[in-house]
Amino acid sequence: MPKAETTIDIAAPPEHVFELLMDPSRLGEWVTASRSVSGVPDGGLKVGSSFTQRLSLARSEFAVRWRIDELERPRLAVWSGEGPKGTTAHVRYEIEPAGDGARFRYVNEYELPGGFIGNVAGRVSSRAAERAMKSSLKKLKRLAES
């Protein structure tokens, strides 16, 4: 299963960073691959909440249905996602205090269908996903610190 993982320090309170991360209406402000979201529940996200996100990555546009599996405000959110043709993803947000700000650890593991061919495609898409992840986290840092 391909995996993308990184950590970034953000000069903003952990609670502020967490609230920004957990607001689907703001995904387009920092997730470079995000094109739109729909089906966001009223009243905020909780365990079991889900919504659909349209993404564009490696010249492909597709939808992922995200569901929150674990939520411990303001330090942890664990998501599972279902995409096209049996693609799955597991994303983990971890936030901890770091000096006067927050340290955000992001982990994304995903599985593509297709056995060997899917594994090869996964290596190619993994590079694109890693580039998008690093770009997104730079945008998140600027947004949270502004």
Side-chain angles (χ1 to χ4, degrees):
M1 181 178 294
K3 180 178 181 178
E5 179 176 355
T6 194
T7 302
I8 190 168
D9 287 341
I10 300 173
E15 296 80 9
H16 174 67
V17 175
F18 193 82
E19 290 308 313
L20 182 58
L21 289 167
M22 298 305 292
D23 184 348
S25 70
R26 301 197 70 186
L27 287 171
E29 294 178 57
W30 65 274
V31 177
T32 58
S34 186
R35 297 299 172 256
S36 66
V37 295
S38 61
V40 178
D42 293 332
L45 299 175
K46 59 185 182 223
V47 173
S49 292
S50 64
F51 65 90
T52 300
Q53 181 182 29
R54 288 218 53 87
L55 298 162
S56 179
L57 188 62
R59 299 185 191 143
S60 296
E61 192 164 309
F62 53 93
V64 175
R65 182 79 177 160
W66 293 108
R67 183 186 71 240
I68 297 178
D69 297 327
E70 294 179 50
L71 186 60
E72 296 175 26
R73 295 181 185 274
R75 60 170 219 83
L76 176 70
V78 178
W79 305 80
S80 56
E82 296 178 3
K85 300 180 182 175
T87 302
T88 60
H90 302 281
V91 173
R92 186 175 183 89
Y93 295 167
E94 296 175 7
I95 298 176
E96 62 183 38
D100 291 335
R103 178 164 294 134
F104 173 47
R105 180 172 176 253
Y106 172 87
V107 181
N108 183 349
E109 295 182 88
Y110 54 95
E111 190 166 339
L112 303 174
F116 175 76
I117 301 290
N119 288 336
V120 171
R123 285 194 289 277
V124 172
S125 67
S126 179
R127 289 190 290 275
E130 190 164 327
R131 283 192 303 275
M133 173 188 64
K134 288 180 180 179
S135 176
S136 294
L137 293 187
K138 286 179 185 175
K139 287 178 74 174
L140 173 67
K141 179 178 174 68
R142 283 193 301 272
L143 183 62
E145 291 177 351
S146 64

